[in-house]
Structures are given as structure tokens and as C-alpha cells.
Amino acid sequence: MIGATRGSEGRQRFMKALLFQIAVLMYGGLDGCAVGPTYRPSNQPIPDSFGISRDFTPSSTKNAQILFAGKDLPGEWWRCFENSALSGLVDRGLAHSPTLIAARDTLLAAQESVLAQYAGLLPGIDGQARGIQQKYPYAESGIPNSNGTWTYYDLHLAFSYNIDLWGGVRRGIERETAVRDAVEARLQAAYVVLTGNIVATVINTAMLARELAEQKRLVSLETEYLRTIEAQYAVGAASETDLALQHAQLAEQSALVPRFRVRFLNARHALADLVGGLPDDKAMPAIDLDDLTLPAVLPLGVPSRVLEHRPDIREAAAELHAATAAVGIAEAARLPSLVVSGAWGDIAARVAQFAVPGNGMAVLAGQITQPIFQGGRLLHGQRQAEANLLAGAEHWRAVVYSAFHNVADVLTQIAADKDVFDAEVEAERAASQAMFLAQKQYSLGGSSYIAVLIAEMAYQRALIELIEARAARLSDSAALFVSLGGGWWSRPEDHALMPERVLPFNRGILQ
């Protein structure tokens, strides 16, 4: 379609025809079928259950822990530990973590990229204003002995519209939307990882604080026992070897105190980093291990919901969707393209003449372009997209398998924690009694100091291992919440997952 017309009436007829043709072309383009494969969620078979016992109640504790199949995860699962200080730290991390804030901003950028793609479905309109002065010699003007200067002004609107005949633009929108979904899944993953890491670090910090306190208590006991050995040595009831061994035992136990202190302080520093604070943050609360309640009920949900809720699976599915759309984009690039363009405006020798009838101009043109030879670039680009699609499908399957293995591993560990905790309770009780009897027998002269030393070291190991077994039950319970997706979908008004339109200078960065 190529045409030109002048005059006010002609331009009006031209604009009506132009708008009608654009509407027809837009409707035809948008209503046409898009080339390339259609994305469909995989029908990967899902197991009916995780195959783990529902009762994890240790025989030596009053804290029952039972799996509840079919029960959905709470949105704020960390409150199941019934500790206000822990909940406060998680809330602080969600509000101030730079990692989470950056993930939210990245999602906002991805959303804007999606909206920008919709421009391809609409005509592009530009306003142009030109003032041109040219000097024409005789050969140009055709007038003998002339060397004139010509001046004119051009004021018009130009438009160009690429008809989406094969759905390439729509597949581009589809791809950017899928990319946005992948970024959103990464935001959900950042949320789940952040909350899980805060809870795990709080438990680890409480465990190390308890180990440090118990180690200090053992040093006090060893110091008191050294005084007993010294008194016995003074009256000849203990040998010099016994005294030297007790000095060595006290030194060894004392050397463990700074080691536990370093681990404890490092854990507090890591916790401060997770909640957006500095290492010397005075607002960091001290949480005792006894103040953390083991969740009595562990909601397991159903296996099929893992596909919907695990952020890594959602991200892999979105990437597969984007790879599917990319095939359509590559295929559409090899097909003919139809572009409609035109212009409407006035041309005048002087600015004041723009209102003079007869200076109007209007142009409408249509152009069809078919790629003929591109050196194989378009063909190989389509084949590359198809190969990426196949790889994306296998990557999705690998992520699904890994996710279910992760859940099964955590459940297996929780089941093992029950047996380990029971054994450690009995070991600590037996070691404590053995140490008491060994010390009593030694004071009565019924055993050697070597027996006492062995009993003391056994008790020290049993005590630390019992503390770690208690912490492991708490940590693995938190790991189950994380492995099942973290419950982000159960927070109806979660502002931590909703990007805000906040510019950098509004955050004080540029102030």
C-alpha cells in the first residue's frame, strides 16, 4: 500500500483510512496463531507419600513431634519454635536484609521489562520538525546563470507499525513474562533461604552459647577438683602423678573455652549479617537453647504441592517456559515481516505558511520483507533455541528429583535425630553417674586417678554431644519447613515479597 494526498479533506480521508487499516492489521496480527511450541506444565509422576513414619516422638522427652500429612505450612513457620526473640530477628531480617531488598528490586526491573515488550504490539509514533536551507547551482535548478538558495520547513508525525503476523512479538512478551516469573521464584527462594538461615543461625548460636557455658562450668568443676587433689597430695593421699594429671586436665578444659567463645561470637556475627546489622550490634538478643520449643507438629503437606511451592522448581519451570517461547521467536524471525509506515503533516517555505491550505502532506506505505540469505544465522539460531528447550526440560526434571530427594533426606535425618537424641540422653546420664562414682571411689582410695580422668573426659564428650543432639532436632525441624518451600504462599499480605516503586534517592543513598 503506497499513497499520498494533499489538502485538509484529503488528509481527513487519509487518517480515517489509516486508522481503519491499522485496526484491521492489529486485529489480524493479534488474532493469528503464534508459531513455535506451546508451553505446557510437565506431567511428571509424583509419589503419593514420602514414605516416612509419622511418629518421631523420642522416648526420653515430653516434647512430642509428629508429622501431619496433608497439613499446609504456616506462613510464619518460625513462630512454631515459640520464641519471641527468634521471631523478632526473622522480622528484622525480612525488613532490612540487603539480599532480599535487592531481589525485590530485581523483580521490579523484570516486571518493567515485560511491560516494555508490549510496545511491540502498538504503532510507534514520532514527531519530527525540520528547517532546511539548501543552495542549488545551475545544474540542480535548471535555470541559466542561477545559484539560488531554497528554504523550507517540515513539521509532521511519522509512524511505523510491525504487524505481528507470526506471533514473534507475542512470544517475546511470553518469554519476558517467564523470565519475570523466574526472577520472582528467585525472590521467593531468597525469602525462604533468609528465614531458614536466620532460624538455623539462631539455633546454632544458642547451642554454642550453651556449650560455652557448660565448658566454663566444667572448668570450674575441674578447678574445684584440683583443690581436692592438692589437699590429698598434702596429706599423702594422692600421688604427684595424680596432681600433674589433674593440672593437665584443667589446662586442657580451659583451652577449650576460648575456642567455644570464638565459634559463638562468629555465629553472632553471622546472625547480625543476616538481619542487616553490624557485628557489634547491641540489639542482638541472647537466646537460650531451653527457650526454643521443639515443634510438636511438623506439617508435611502433600508431595504434589512441592512442585507448586518449591522456589527452585518454580524457577526451573519458568526457565523452561522462556525457552519454549524463545523457539517461537526464532522461528518467527525466519518468516516474512509486514511493516506499515506513514507520515502526516505540513511543509512550508515559511513558518507562518503552515496554516495555508495546500501545504499538507500524508504518506502511507506497506513493506513486506522476507529473509533470503543470512549465512545460516537464523536457522542455527532456531536450532540453538530448540536445543536449549530440550536442555531446559531435563534441567527441570533434575531439579524436581533433587527437591524430592532433599525432602526425603531431611525426613530421614529427623527420624535419625530421634534415635541419636535418645542415645545421647542415656549416654550423658551414664557418663555423669560414672564420673561421680569414679571421683567418689578415688577419694576413698578404691580406684586410680586414671579411671577418674577417663570418666571426666567421657562426661565432657557426652555433655557436648547431648547439646548438639538437642540443637540438631531443632535445626532439622527448620530444615523441613525450608525443604517444603518455606510457607511463603501462606502470607496473604507479605510486603517482603512485593516490590515497591522506590527510587534509590528515596532510600537515602544519594542524600
Side-chain angles (χ1 to χ4, degrees):
M1 299 173 289
I2 300 177
T5 180
R6 292 181 177 272
S8 300
E9 294 182 0
R11 279 186 292 171
Q12 292 178 0
R13 292 194 301 270
F14 169 80
M15 290 302 300
K16 291 180 181 179
L18 173 63
L19 293 175
F20 175 76
Q21 291 178 4
I22 291 178
V24 171
L25 290 172
M26 288 179 64
Y27 176 80
L30 295 177
D31 191 54
C33 61
V35 296
T38 301
Y39 172 76
R40 292 182 178 86
S42 175
N43 56 356
Q44 179 74 30
I46 304 301
D48 296 331
S49 66
F50 294 105
I52 303 295
S53 172
R54 297 176 59 184
D55 187 0
F56 293 158
T57 306
S59 59
S60 57
T61 181
K62 296 181 180 179
N63 292 331
Q65 196 172 34
I66 300 175
L67 285 177
F68 197 145
K71 181 178 177 61
D72 201 6
L73 274 67
E76 297 179 336
W77 57 267
W78 50 89
R79 301 191 186 276
C80 296
F81 294 93
E82 300 180 6
N83 187 279
S84 58
L86 169 62
S87 299
L89 286 171
V90 175
D91 293 339
R92 177 181 170 185
L94 292 177
H96 299 100
S97 171
T99 301
L100 192 60
I101 295 174
R104 292 165 55 193
D105 291 337
T106 303
L107 176 58
L108 179 59
Q111 175 64 24
E112 295 299 330
S113 178
V114 173
L115 297 177
Q117 294 297 315
Y118 280 91
L121 296 176
L122 302 173
I125 301 177
D126 297 308
Q128 297 183 8
R130 297 186 300 171
I132 300 176
Q133 186 177 51
Q134 293 181 334
K135 185 177 182 180
Y136 294 96
Y138 167 74
E140 291 282 345
S141 64
I143 302 176
N145 301 321
S146 67
N147 194 5
T149 299
W150 300 77
T151 302
Y152 71 93
Y153 299 93
D154 181 3
L155 182 64
H156 68 274
L157 295 177
F159 86 95
S160 177
Y161 180 47
N162 189 352
I163 309 300
D164 190 26
L165 292 176
W166 315 110
V169 175
R170 283 168 286 158
R171 298 312 294 265
I173 296 173
E174 181 183 355
R175 181 182 62 181
E176 288 301 315
T177 302
V179 171
R180 187 273 317 275
D181 293 341
V183 173
E184 182 179 11
R186 285 193 285 273
L187 170 60
Q188 294 160 356
Y191 168 85
V192 173
V193 170
L194 177 64
T195 55
N197 284 344
I198 292 175
V199 173
T201 306
V202 167
I203 294 172
N204 186 51
T205 304
M207 179 194 73
L208 293 172
R210 173 59 61 85
E211 290 181 345
L212 177 60
E214 291 295 341
Q215 190 61 36
K216 290 180 178 179
R217 185 178 68 85
L218 287 176
V219 169
S220 299
L221 292 176
E222 294 293 351
T223 302
E224 182 178 348
Y225 196 59
L226 175 61
R227 297 193 185 99
T228 302
I229 298 296
E230 289 175 340
Q232 292 177 342
Y233 176 73
V235 299
S239 66
E240 185 175 357
T241 301
D242 295 342
L243 184 60
L245 288 174
Q246 181 58 25
H247 273 290
Q249 175 69 359
L250 176 59
E252 182 178 354
Q253 296 296 332
S254 299
L256 293 176
V257 172
R259 297 179 184 177
F260 280 115
R261 182 181 294 111
V262 169
R263 293 173 60 194
F264 166 71
L265 293 177
N266 287 344
R268 282 184 61 85
H269 298 164
L271 183 58
D273 180 63
L274 289 171
V275 300
L278 296 175
D280 59 347
D281 192 345
K282 306 301 182 183
M284 296 286 293
I287 300 178
D288 191 271
L289 194 61
D290 291 336
D291 295 335
L292 296 172
T293 302
L294 188 71
V297 176
L298 293 175
L300 191 57
V302 293
S304 61
R305 301 297 296 275
V306 174
L307 290 179
E308 303 174 19
H309 294 155
R310 285 268 303 210
D312 53 349
I313 297 179
R314 293 170 62 87
E315 180 181 356
E319 291 174 347
L320 178 59
H321 191 175
T324 304
V327 175
I329 295 172
E331 186 174 344
R334 301 179 61 196
L335 299 174
S337 62
L338 173 60
V339 178
V340 177
S341 61
W344 177 81
D346 285 296
I347 298 177
R350 291 186 298 275
V351 175
Q353 293 179 338
F354 276 119
V356 177
N359 287 332
M361 55 85 64
V363 177
L364 178 64
Q367 175 179 313
I368 297 178
T369 302
Q370 167 63 56
I372 297 177
F373 178 74
Q374 299 292 332
R377 178 177 59 86
L378 299 179
L379 173 62
H380 295 299
Q382 180 178 342
R383 290 177 178 177
Q384 178 187 14
E386 291 169 349
N388 288 335
L389 175 59
L390 296 176
E394 294 305 317
H395 173 68
W396 181 89
R397 288 205 313 143
V399 172
V400 170
Y401 291 156
S402 177
F404 278 93
H405 292 162
N406 176 228
V407 176
D409 288 344
V410 174
L411 290 173
T412 302
Q413 187 61 50
I414 291 177
D417 288 342
K418 166 189 179 299
D419 300 329
V420 171
F421 184 78
D422 288 342
E424 293 299 342
V425 168
E426 293 299 326
E428 191 272 339
R429 183 183 295 116
S432 177
Q433 184 177 10
M435 184 181 67
F436 172 76
L437 293 176
Q439 291 174 345
K440 185 176 182 180
Q441 290 175 358
Y442 176 75
S443 64
L444 297 175
S447 65
S448 66
Y449 181 73
I450 298 298
V452 176
L453 190 60
I454 293 174
E456 289 177 343
M457 291 188 294
Y459 174 70
Q460 193 268 347
R461 289 194 302 269
L463 182 61
I464 297 301
E465 290 173 358
L466 176 59
I467 295 173
E468 293 178 351
R470 290 184 58 193
R473 295 199 70 206
L474 295 166
S475 297
D476 290 334
S477 297
L480 179 62
F481 286 107
V482 173
S483 68
L484 293 174
W488 56 267
W489 59 92
S490 297
R491 304 189 71 187
E493 296 181 358
D494 187 4
H495 299 292
L497 292 179
M498 297 178 63
E500 300 176 357
R501 295 181 180 274
V502 180
L503 296 178
F505 55 81
N506 289 335
R507 295 182 185 162
I509 296 178
L510 302 181
Q511 295 179 355

